[in-house]
Amino acid sequence: MAMNNKKNIILEEYENEFSYKKSKTNLDIQFNRIAFIFFVFLMISIIYSIQLLHLGSLKSDVKTNYAPSIKDYRADIIDRNGNYLVKTVSSIDIGISPIEVIDKQKLLINLKWIFPEKDYVEVEKKLNKNNFFKFEKKISLTNYQKIMFLGDKAIRSEEKLTRIYPQKNLFSHIIGQIDNENNGISGLEKSFDEKLKQKNKPLQLTVDADIQFLIREELVKFQSIFRSKGSAAILMNVNNGEIISMVSYPDFNLNKRKKIVDLNFINRATKGVYELGSVFKTFTVAAGLEEGLIDIDTEFLNLEKRLQCGKSTISEYDNKIPSDLTVEQILIRSGNVGSVRIGQKLEIIKLKNFLEKIGVLKKIKFDIDEVGEPIPFKWGKCKLATVSYGHGITTTPLQLAKAYAIISNGGFDIEPSLIKKDLENYQQKKRIIKAGISEKINTILRKIVTTKEGTAGLANIEGYEVGGKTGTANKTSMGGYSKAKVNTFAGIFPISNPKYVLIILLDEPKTSSDYIYEYKNKKGSYKGTPFNTAGWTSVEVAGKIIEKIGPILATKHIEN
């Protein structure tokens, strides 16, 4: 009995021990399976995280501080309010290596699904040539994800920096272009090429994108109305030379980097050199006042309707102009003969010195290289006469803006600029015209806009105190003059406290039979352009522009 009991105890211990070992083995197997599954999920998570981080780094709006040493780096360009005019972003180009393609037909089907607009006859030809080729430049993030998920080792991606122009055509002549080697070839991209490659912070300009848009919009609208060959507009601060807007039309989309060979795309605001006509009469009167030879109430009596100078005849554009005029009336009525008489009082040396002083005779130094040079000429008695009323002398609209700024701002010299400067970098004003001259000239410029005898009544926009002078000139052709015209208006506002000069130039405008004019200095309207002169073309454009930009200028207080 005792022995039987002992055996039972031993058996029970054996069974318990066996049972325990079996349970432990099952636990090990379950733990290994869980560890393996966890490891697989961990690896998948790591792979997807790396992919997501890579794709995230491709977004163009990620704020990345690229060092100047990076290839293709160029600093951004912004307007005076911080709006991007040019931005350097990261982009991806996709290429295909045909010799590594396993199944060409399958690849073509997948590519057609992602890029349906491509020319696949051409793509297939390139695939058959077995030479590596670029398939898509600046690929979108969505399409990049799709094409990379194909997993085809023949598809190669190249990440690089690229230049984009969010404003497209709006600043084409100011910004300019770069070539395929990342070198500036025109505009600020050229003149500031090295600085843009080395600069970390954006290059800030004086221009205002909102104002630029509104002015360009009016030029485009009136291009169809007056059927001009082209046009230009400059809005500049008369006190510091900051250019708020500078438009030349036609223009071009900077994102479509291509060679511009058509001369009609010239920058008319800075490169175009023109005879500008009667806008020069303001300079003749100002020079006479500066020299103390005349005052605004000085009378010129018995003025001829025609003057003979050599083989040329100088006559009034309007025979209704009286023979007895004061200096003020000569400028208001834009008298040719009266202006000649003032010029003759000045003589060559005094008029020449004054024109040199206000910067219209020689090439101007500016922030871009596309600047025209006034055509040199030989002074003489007849040349003195014609220059006095703006005939036989050329300059650029940019120089015209500078000259009117100096004459209206109290006589202080300014240098037109596109680059925003810190307040401490502005030089102290230098007076180059005597005190009191501006006040006298500005009074006359205002009357040119407000009186019935003036030639710029359509620019009399209520609330903005516009003053200015018109200029209508025939274009030279084969040693003589053609019927084609250049119509110009040089405006200043507000005239009681000058802040802005606005230059509007229309190159070869035509009359419009359907356009409705709304009179400003009297009630009523008028259908059709009666004369192809600045008073009916450039002045109308200027008035419409001031109506649109005036409230914005008043709100933004664009002034140092």
Side-chain angles (χ1 to χ4, degrees), residues 9 13 40 92 116 122 131 177 219 235 242 269 298 310 321 329 345 378 405 410 419 436 444 479 507 523 528 555:
I9 293 170
E13 287 178 351
V40 170
I92 295 287
E122 188 64 29
N131 294 321
Q177 297 192 90
L219 291 188
L235 178 70
E242 286 189 350
T298 301
I321 294 178
Q329 291 169 336
K345 273 183 170 289
K378 186 177 180 180
I419 308 302
I444 304 174
D507 192 350
K523 292 183 179 180
T555 302

Side-chain angles (χ1 to χ4, degrees), residues 227-231 249-250 263-266 268 271-277 375 390-395 471-488 505-510 532:
R227 294 165 290 146
S228 305
K229 182 180 179 181
S231 55
Y249 190 81
L263 290 177
N264 201 37
F265 286 88
I266 187 177
R268 285 176 167 82
K271 186 69 174 176
V273 177
Y274 306 94
E275 277 193 24
L276 297 173
I375 300 170
H391 183 82
I393 183 170
T394 62
T395 197
T472 303
N474 291 82
K475 297 183 78 171
T476 57
S477 175
M478 301 294 291
Y481 287 87
S482 68
K483 292 183 179 180
K485 297 180 183 297
V486 173
N487 291 349
T488 310
L505 179 143
L506 301 183
D507 192 350
E508 299 187 20
K510 318 291 189 303
N532 187 6

Side-chain angles (χ1 to χ4, degrees), residues 81 210 399 435 518:
N81 302 309
D210 296 331
Q399 289 168 277
E518 298 293 337

